[in-house]
Amino acid sequence: MNSTAVLSVEAMRAAEQAAMNAGISEWELMQRAGQGAARWVMRMAAGRPVTVLCGPGNNGGDGYVIAGCLHAKGYKVRVIAPVEPKSETARKARAAFDGEVMGRAALTDPVVVDCLFGYGLSRNAKGEFANLLEELAASDCYKIAIDVPSSVESDSGSVLGPLPRYNLTLALGAWKQAHFLMPAMASMGALRCVPIGLALNDASDQSTTAPRLTAPAADSHKYRRGLLAVVAGSMPGAPLLSAEAAMHAGAGYVKLVSDHSHPDAPADLVIEQDLDAVLEDERISAVLTGPGLGRDDEARKRLSRVLGSGRPCVLDADALHLLRPDMLKGADVTKLCLTPHEGELATLCESFGVTLQSKLDRARRLHDVTGMTVLAKGPDTVLADREGMRFFPRGSSWLSVAGSGDVLAGIVASRLAVHSDTMRACEEAVWLHHEAARRAAPAFSASDLACALIPAMASFL
Ligand SMILES: NC(=O)C1=CN([C@@H]2O[C@H](COP(=O)(O)OP(=O)(O)OC[C@H]3O[C@@H](n4cnc5c(N)ncnc54)[C@H](OP(=O)(O)O)[C@@H]3O)[C@@H](O)[C@H]2O)[C@@H](O)CC1
Ligand SMILES: [K+]
């Protein structure tokens, strides 16, 4: 069975070393990787001629093994290798391949397998490597990247050379971080993982799989199913959107605490004005604040009152701009969820003294220094929590619409009201958000997205 472990290059090298210490040679690992990948290549090529691009390292070594498997099955296959292999195991794989190897040739075959660089890419791909990648990008052949696309840095997902759009990317042994990070993720096409027998059970970072939601218990009533308070502020629209999304994501009762009149609110959304009275209600199981909160003194006071309530809490939008370390004194940080987009994450990092640059590192460190759950949202959403990082498959690019974040915050809060588990609430919310986008018609508005949560919920029950 495929593991969901997501490994950094350092962790990957350690896992491979552990396998070798247990008696599985690097040669054997390469055979497993190459043979497993070759099965996918044959499935996709379906008899058509294949070109394999081989680089100087073990990724190139995998390429020779793949080419050898295809050759043995009667495929017309050739290798293009701008340089000879450098690593010992790759040299052995090169020597074992008795098919055609060329230094340079036009990419005319209908299927091309890219094994120029794997997770060992350490600098910009230049010269003949860049030329090949550029030619591959311009070709309309079926493109398969082995392990990672060759111009992609495995840990950061950043791009160090011409980046073709692949049809299929085959992760070898385990997922790498780049498989879930932009801009790399957008170029990878379908993603599959080829197991090679590494022991991955201790890996803390994981990709997520579709959540399993449950219907309310047979004896449920509206208060016990999750009573959520959405605390509004100076602007009426955003918190209303969050509240509407929350109403469709499982909570039994959603209250909007707002001084506005909200003529457009649905009849079944309860609107109250007295924040203190709402927060004193013992039955409140979660609170959301931030969308439309504002950033003035009044907003800061409301945020402090919410934090002082001791309830499980989702902080989004303006709340993330207002949040300061001293506001967390006495708070149970394990009940708090932050849902920043990139700009809000930068602001939070400034407020909490996190100086790292990448989204992944920032989210991880922000969790480490604060103890709060950090859902760093965007086209490559990552979740940092007590058990490690969590990664998600690509969502619809139509989610890049105003109000999409308010909807997501509403879903997280709704799930949190249902079961009080911050990490689980975030995981479920991202999947629901993606599924709602899939079910809404293209070019949807945020309100359409909130409505599409109703059928989306059914996908996970
Ligand atoms: N280890 C294992 O057990 C298994 C590993 N497996 C496979 O190995 C892959 C990792 O292999 P790897 O570590 O050899 O790295 P890889 O990506 O092939 O390239 C490194 C080479 O490229 C060179 N180089 C780097 N950047 C460059 C540039 N811009 N331009 C030019 N040259 C550049 C670099 O040179 P150097 O930096 O040393 O000068 C070095 O020679 C992994 O992704 C998977 O496919 C599987 O077989 C399963 C078993
Ligand atoms: K590659």
Side-chain angles (χ1 to χ4, degrees), residues 59 114-115 117 146 148 150:
N59 194 249
D114 170 13
C115 303
F117 304 110
I146 299 300
V148 285
S150 288

Side-chain angles (χ1 to χ4, degrees), residues 138-442:
S139 160
D140 61 0
C141 65
Y142 189 92
K143 305 173 186 70
I144 304 177
I146 299 300
D147 209 9
V148 285
S150 288
S151 55
V152 159
E153 202 180 50
S154 191
D155 276 350
S156 67
S158 54
V159 176
L160 302 179
L163 180 62
R165 290 190 84 81
Y166 296 86
N167 300 90
L168 173 66
T169 295
L170 299 171
L172 301 181
W175 299 112
K176 317 297 178 307
Q177 293 173 176
H179 293 127
F180 302 96
L181 296 174
M182 290 292 176
M185 189 188 195
S187 70
M188 293 192 189
L191 280 161
R192 297 290 181 272
C193 190
V194 175
I196 62 170
L198 301 177
L200 302 170
N201 290 342
D202 293 340
S204 57
D205 297 350
Q206 304 277 331
S207 62
T208 57
T209 51
R212 291 180 58 175
L213 308 179
T214 49
D219 64 348
S220 290
H221 63 67
K222 63 187 177 190
Y223 292 114
R224 280 208 302 268
R225 259 187 63 193
L227 172 51
L228 171 68
V230 178
V231 177
S234 57
M235 287 153 290
L240 178 59
L241 198 48
S242 295
E244 286 183 300
M247 290 167 80
H248 298 156
Y253 195 158
V254 179
K255 287 185 177 187
L256 178 60
V257 188
S258 174
D259 294 336
H260 301 277
S261 58
H262 293 288
D264 300 332
D268 44 2
L269 176 65
V270 175
I271 300 178
E272 298 203 6
Q273 290 192 333
D274 188 339
L275 176 59
D276 289 329
V278 171
L279 292 179
E280 275 161 24
D281 185 340
E282 299 266 297
R283 297 167 302 188
I284 292 283
S285 50
V287 185
L288 162 64
T289 194
L293 181 63
R295 299 184 192 173
D296 57 8
D297 280 348
E298 176 54 28
R300 191 170 290 107
K301 275 186 213 149
R302 284 172 95 84
L303 172 59
S304 292
R305 273 142 88 187
V306 167
L307 287 168
S309 74
R311 313 279 174 195
C313 227
V314 178
L315 306 183
D316 185 46
D318 289 335
L320 305 175
H321 286 272
L322 293 170
L323 190 65
R324 293 290 178 276
D326 61 303
M327 290 173 152
L328 295 174
K329 277 188 196 127
D332 179 353
V333 287
T334 63
K335 291 183 181 171
L336 304 181
C337 253
L338 312 180
T339 54
H341 60 47
E342 210 170 324
E344 291 155 355
L345 183 63
T347 303
L348 282 164
C349 286
E350 217 167 282
S351 305
F352 286 86
V354 173
T355 54
L356 297 167
Q357 286 309 310
S358 83
K359 173 176 182 162
L360 189 63
D361 292 342
R362 283 176 161 186
R364 197 192 298 265
R365 182 64 62 84
L366 193 59
H367 166 72
D368 288 347
V369 300
T370 65
M372 291 183 281
T373 299
V374 179
L375 183 67
K377 68 195 174 196
D380 52 355
T381 298
V382 295
L383 170 63
D385 206 337
R386 56 194 183 270
E387 289 171 27
M389 299 300 300
R390 292 293 176 270
F391 297 86
F392 299 88
R394 248 174 91 187
S396 163
S397 52
W398 293 108
L399 281 168
S400 53
V401 63
S404 180
D406 302 324
V407 170
L408 179 65
I411 310 172
V412 177
S414 188
R415 301 311 304 160
L416 192 61
V418 170
H419 53 57
S420 307
D421 181 330
T422 52
M423 185 170 178
R424 191 173 139 206
C426 288
E427 283 193 29
E428 291 169 350
V430 175
W431 279 84
L432 279 164
H433 199 228
H434 286 186
E435 182 64 10
R438 209 176 64 79
R439 290 188 175 247

